[in-house]
Amino acid sequence: MSHPINVDYKTVFNSASAGMAYTSESGVILDVNQAWLVATGFTREDAIGHTALELGLWANPEECRACHALLAQSGRFHDFETVLVMQSEQRTHLLSGQYVEWGGKRHVVWELRDISERKRREIELRDSTERDGIEAELARERTYLKTLIGTIPALIW
């Protein structure tokens, strides 16, 4: 038999390693966790009462509207890849959001995970793989040319 667990939202919210924000349905920030503060470089006082658009967090404001459209359509979305401006630097994030009811009003819990390093490694691996392919092709061409050059004396004499 399972028993309901009474968990304090603040405990879960603040213990998350991913940046999290709690907003009104319209996007006004009501609360953020420590990971969000560290990632964005904002203080809690600077963030509360403003939207992510007002804070300049969205590199592309159209993607903010797309996230709100996804919320309106299904009440949640997961792993929306976007570029956010964190401490004056553009960084790639996976963003998730979900409507929650609180005090009879609809709010949004947002989670952001920085995947910039993962994306950088993927690009490096792809570039390395492409480079390896080019180097292999060049090695085959060198071998062919050496073989061809090696047969020239036999053709002349």
Side-chain angles (χ1 to χ4, degrees):
M1 170 192 290
S2 69
H3 298 282
I5 299 173
N6 186 9
V7 178
D8 178 41
Y9 126 83
K10 282 292 240 187
T11 301
V12 173
F13 187 76
N14 288 317
S15 65
S17 61
M20 298 188 73
Y22 181 69
T23 71
S24 67
E25 186 174 11
S26 65
V28 175
I29 297 170
L30 304 172
D31 198 6
V32 293
N33 70 358
Q34 186 63 32
W36 188 94
L37 295 170
V38 169
T40 64
F42 285 102
T43 65
R44 188 177 310 287
E45 294 74 26
D46 289 336
I48 304 295
H50 298 280
T51 67
L53 281 172
E54 290 171 342
L55 296 174
L57 292 175
W58 290 91
N60 179 355
E62 286 301 315
E63 291 183 348
C64 176
R65 289 185 264 290
C67 286
H68 280 278
L70 289 169
L71 281 169
Q73 180 181 9
S74 62
R76 72 174 73 180
F77 67 91
H78 295 283
D79 297 337
F80 182 91
E81 188 173 317
T82 187
V83 175
L84 299 176
V85 180
M86 301 292 176
Q87 302 180 39
S88 302
E89 180 183 356
Q90 291 194 0
R91 302 194 53 86
T92 305
H93 285 76
L94 290 179
L95 190 63
S96 298
Q98 180 167 340
Y99 281 135
V100 294
E101 294 290 327
W102 192 275
K105 294 181 182 177
R106 190 150 66 169
H107 296 88
V108 183
V109 175
W110 300 87
E111 176 197 43
L112 55 96
R113 285 177 281 133
D114 190 332
I115 61 167
S116 299
E117 289 306 309
R118 184 182 91 190
K119 296 293 283 183
R120 184 189 56 76
R121 286 191 304 271
E122 286 173 359
I123 290 168
E124 285 176 356
L125 180 61
R126 185 187 68 230
D127 290 349
S128 173
T129 302
E130 288 174 5
R131 220 175 8 260
D132 290 348
I134 291 168
E135 288 173 3
E137 181 64 28
L138 287 172
R140 283 190 296 277
E141 292 293 325
R142 273 191 229 101
T143 302
Y144 171 75
L145 288 172
K146 284 181 184 176
T147 304
L148 185 61
I149 291 170
T151 60
I152 291 175
L155 294 172
I156 296 174
W157 307 108

